[in-house]
Every structure is written in structure tokens, then in C-alpha cells.
Amino acid sequence: MLQLLSLVLAVAGVASATNARTSTPPMGWNTYNHYNCFVTEAQVKANAKALVDLGLASVGYNYVVPDCGWSAADRTSDGKITWNTTYYPSGFPALGTYIHGLNLKFGIYSGAGPWQCNPTLIQASLGNEDVDAATFASWGGDYLKYDNCWANGKTMVEYYPTFESDPSTRFRAMAAALEKVTRPMVYGICQWGIGEHLGDWAPEIGNNWRMSNDITNAWNSIWRITNQVVPLSKYSSPGHYNDMDMLMIGNGVLTAEESRTHFSIWCIQKSPLFIGAALENNLLDATALGIFLNKDLVAINQDSLGTAATLRYRAQSTKGYEIWSGPLSGSRTVVAIVNWANAAQSVTVPLSDIGIATAGAAHDVWAKSDIGALSGSYTSGSIPAHGTKLLILSNTTPAAALAAGTLYSAKTATLAGGAALTTCPSGTCAPVGAKITGLNATTTTATWTVSSSSAGTKRIELIYTNYDLSFDGSWSGDAVNTVDAYVSVNGAAEVRWELPIAGGDWNEAASFVMDTAGWKSGSNTLRIRGVKGYSGRSIEIVGVRVRAQGRARARSGRL
């Protein structure tokens, strides 16, 4: 299923380089989520063997990656990195031989700082890239996870660094070193999405790249990472994958429904699938094992197109659901309806929301059941709290294009309470080149007068910027990576919407679809405000596009 491509990949605008790339997202097991930095050689071997014994290797989980904690405090007399003999008495070459003997692949961990992400100072690779790449290759390494601790040599973690203007420099050094060795190694960048415009450089040099702070063993961590991956979906293709971090399934906190949602999102996003639970000694529960072994889900992740799903619709906060879709090989479409709410609900999805008019066949992936043909819309039936309905549609016909609607730009809004019009750098904040800032209080508003030929519900597209990345809040659970927009039509009660990260910085805009009620024929007032986010900034608005009709509600069901 997983094939290694040693090929020349050209990236538009940059020189091509020979890299070890995988034709589908890598899958395997990593030590960190369960063992932290204190795993032993015996535990690595036991878990590697369990990959085989539990049938996981046969499904595609074939990389074994001992994470932080393996290296010694000092290098050898000839300057080479070496292992801690207390944790790894047989040594890393012998460990690689054992793993290869199981027909698995050997992953190695290091970092773009002088020391690893470890409680004590032990060797990483900054400044020693060439010698370490050669050493890892000589040990039989197949994969390198390259972390980001001690980047400035002074503090373990710098989430908002000021010491470097280009966050890619340290990671490019190891990429260049890996290209010099004869053994192909897959390069997994673990830079956490620090800085700006990760998508401009990471796909060029890495097979996969971490795009967020660490996952934690909590449900809200899934929400945080999902909000951060939204604008990065477009960078996914064979040999280029957003890494949403190791899987937390099987670590004793997520419910069965939460685990299925976690796995569903990682699969449709084409994220690498690295199990983070203990597999040895029958520690993995049957539900988690069943999720990992679900070949239908794995097939979505490993689809040959390598295209990630995109967020197509997110309902207002009180409803708490969203819709993703993306193409699969064979002219199929994967659709995910995610219920973030704390109660079960049924969701009706107009197929036009995912660009489809009809589907000749629909298959419920988790239920393993065929639904039949669909026309106009689909009603899910009850989706449990924190659960996901996952469909594969085939033999589809495209929906008719929506009318362009009318753009009301930031420049034409009436501003109140300290909101300001800010000119953006040339070529940004498209399509206006300016945005409304300071929308961070109840009295700080942007208002447009909108003429309508009809009453009822209208679909609007809010064009906004949001780069409110809350890295340090990841550990407390405060981080959400969203900004709020409160929308009111003609003075009606405000409706709250939670908007994900929009782009690679505060000037890259995205569109967010909203269905708004209370419109009347003639002149209308559309008012929007925000609230101060984690960084102190709020939603910044480039404009609003108002369409003639609201969200289509064609009949639901089978043809």
C-alpha cells in the first residue's frame, strides 16, 4: 500500500531536489504519546512485534519510530551522535536490524536544535547535519522525524521566535544533508507550524510536516488541530502531507465516537497515521484496534490522489456541526459530517454545498452499508455527540454554479467603536487590498447597507483573515485557533460563528459561508463584530459577498 518514491519532485518557483517521498501518507507507530521520552529498547521491540502480531503491519502500519530520549549527552570522540546505552543496550544499529527483520521500517528521531526535546540535554543535530544524516543512514534508518526544540540554544520551546527571520533555514540544512547520503530516508519535518507560510517551504523539502503544536490526550485538541489545518489542505499531494501529529486513539481518554472522529479527520486530510498508544502486552483495547484496522478508512487515507478534503460548511456555534468533502480516485467523493456538539443531532446536507447535484451511489463507511442514490440533499439520521458520519459518493453529477452575488468591501463599511480600515501589503487581503481591524468589543462594529430584492434567508460569504495561532494554550486546552464573528441582520439577535485559521499570516484571506435569516425586500442592515482572541487580535474583515438565495434545501433521500 505504502510505496517509497525516490524521484525528482519539481516545485514551482524553486529548484527541484531528489527526496525520499512516499506515494501515500506514511503509517506506523511512534513511542512519544504513551512513553514520552523514556521508552526502552525492549519496549520498542515489543511494540514493533505487536504491529505484526495484531495485524497492523499488514494494513500498512510499518514505520517504527523511537522518539525523544534515545541519544547520549555527548558525542563520540569522532563527533558522531550515539545512543544512551541505559535505554538501548544493544545499540541503534542492532535495533534497526531487529525492526527490519520484522519487515518493518526503522524511523529515527532528532531535531533542528543542539538538543532533543527532552528533560535533560541530550544530543540533536543542529550544526551536525551532514555527519548525523550519514550516521542515521549507516544504522539503516528509513525515516527521520526532525523536531524543533532548543532552536535558539537557550530555551526548549520558542513558539513566537524573534531570533530567526526564516524558520525554514534549519530544516533545509538537514534536507540537504539527507540528499547527500545514498540511503533514501523519508523526511518528516516537526516544526509545529511556527512562524508564517509553512506551506511555502515545507512541501518543497519534506515528505510530511507537522503543522500544529503537539496533540494532547483531550478531545479539544482534535478541534484545535482541525482548525489549524483548514488553510493547509491545498498543499496535500502524493509525497507531500500535512502531519496532524500522532494518533491519541487507545490512550484511555477519548470516547469511541471521539476516536472515530479523530481517525476520520486524519484520514480525509491525508495525514500520516502514526499510532501513539501502547501495543505491547495486550494493552490496546479492542475498540481502538478495530479503528486502526478499518481498511475502508485506511483506504481513504491511502488513496492514490493524495488530495485532502476541504471544509465546505460550518454551522453557527449553537448547531455545532461541519461538512468536509474531497475527491478520491475513481471519480469518487468522500464526505464527512462532523458533530462537534455535546448532543446527538441529525444533519441535512444540501449536496450543492459540496458541489454535487446527484450521486448514483452512496456508502456509509463506518456503518459499512450502502445508502443508495442521492438527489438534492442527504439527511444523516442521528449522529452521536462528537461523532462523524462518513460517506463515499460515486457516479456524481456537478451542481449548477451559484450566482456570484454582490461584494460589499471593507472600504464601504460604516465603522464604529474604534474599528479601523487598514491597508494591506500589495497583493494581499484579496480581493480588496484592505481590511477592517479592531473588531474586538461589543460596541466595535462594521455595518453595511444591503439592498435585497427578496425576503427570507440569504447566504453570505465572509472574507476574513485569522492567524490567531495559540501554541502555548495547547497544553491548558485554551487554544482553539478560531476567531468569533457575531452577525446580525436588521437588528435581530446576533448569531455567533467560529471561523478557523484563514491562511499563512494575518493578510491571507479566506471565505467562510454563513446562512443568515431576517432579510427583507428593500434596504437591509448587516452588522458584524468580533471578540478579542487568544493573541489579543480579533477577526479582520476584507469584505462580505451577499448571494441572492440561502442554503438550498432540496428534497432529501434516494432517487
Side-chain angles (χ1 to χ4, degrees), residues 205-467:
I205 63 173
N207 183 76
N208 41 274
W209 51 91
R210 274 278 302 283
M211 39 58 61
S212 70
N213 201 357
D214 287 8
I215 193 171
T216 61
N217 200 9
W219 169 241
N220 58 22
S221 183
I222 311 303
W223 170 250
R224 164 177 58 86
I225 295 171
T226 299
N227 282 313
Q228 194 166 346
V229 82
V230 170
L232 297 170
S233 299
K234 61 186 177 184
Y235 296 106
S236 180
S237 67
H240 311 85
Y241 312 104
N242 290 297
D243 183 353
M244 299 174 73
D245 207 357
M246 287 88 72
L247 297 161
M248 271 296 180
I249 299 161
N251 278 322
V253 170
L254 299 181
T255 68
E257 291 298 335
E258 291 168 348
S259 294
R260 282 188 275 270
T261 291
H262 176 11
F263 200 62
S264 296
I265 294 172
W266 266 235
C267 285
I268 67 173
Q269 279 301 305
K270 307 303 187 287
S271 174
L273 300 178
F274 280 91
I275 297 169
L279 307 177
E280 61 173 329
N281 299 323
N282 296 313
L283 291 175
L284 188 67
D285 66 87
T287 298
L289 179 61
I291 290 171
F292 294 142
L293 290 175
N294 189 311
K295 294 182 180 180
D296 295 331
L297 267 292
V298 170
I300 293 170
N301 177 262
Q302 300 287 294
D303 186 77
S304 60
L305 290 186
T307 304
T310 56
L311 179 63
R312 305 302 295 264
Y313 183 82
R314 175 177 287 176
Q316 64 196 60
S317 299
T318 55
K319 295 183 178 179
Y321 70 85
E322 65 190 24
I323 302 163
W324 296 73
S325 73
L328 298 174
S329 59
S331 300
R332 298 170 300 148
T333 300
V334 62
V335 181
I337 309 169
V338 182
N339 180 18
W340 297 104
N342 293 328
Q345 63 176 315
S346 178
V347 176
T348 296
V349 180
L351 297 184
S352 59
D353 278 1
I354 57 174
I356 288 173
T358 65
H363 179 75
D364 186 324
V365 181
W366 282 112
K368 297 183 180 295
S369 64
D370 292 326
I371 298 170
L374 301 178
S375 179
S377 65
Y378 164 76
T379 298
S380 67
S382 181
I383 302 175
H386 301 177
T388 293
K389 177 71 72 172
L390 196 63
L391 306 177
I392 292 179
L393 309 183
S394 55
N395 299 323
T396 60
T397 60
L402 293 175
T406 303
L407 175 65
Y408 294 82
S409 92
K411 296 177 181 180
T412 62
T414 300
L415 307 181
L421 182 67
T422 301
T423 301
C424 300
S426 177
T428 66
C429 298
V432 175
K435 60 184 178 180
I436 301 165
T437 59
L439 293 166
N440 55 15
T442 303
T443 57
T444 308
T445 60
T447 303
W448 291 265
T449 300
V450 178
S451 179
S452 174
S453 60
S454 61
T457 298
K458 289 188 181 297
R459 168 155 289 186
I460 68 173
E461 293 177 12
L462 182 60
I463 307 170
Y464 73 104
T465 70
N466 169 29
Y467 203 63

Side-chain angles (χ1 to χ4, degrees), residues 164-188:
E164 61 182 359
S165 59
D166 183 358
S168 74
T169 301
R170 290 174 291 113
F171 292 86
R172 290 182 185 276
M174 180 53 82
L178 291 173
E179 290 171 5
K180 296 175 185 177
V181 302
T182 57
R183 183 179 183 85
M185 280 185 282
V186 175
Y187 188 28

Side-chain angles (χ1 to χ4, degrees), residues 408 412-414 446-458 460 487-492 516-528 544 546-548:
Y408 294 82
T412 62
T414 300
T447 303
W448 291 265
T449 300
V450 178
S451 179
S452 174
S453 60
S454 61
T457 298
K458 289 188 181 297
I460 68 173
V487 180
S488 173
V489 177
N490 293 323
T516 53
W519 295 87
K520 60 186 181 181
S521 180
S523 180
N524 296 265
T525 299
L526 173 65
R527 188 184 74 238
I528 303 176
V544 182
V546 180
R547 298 192 183 277

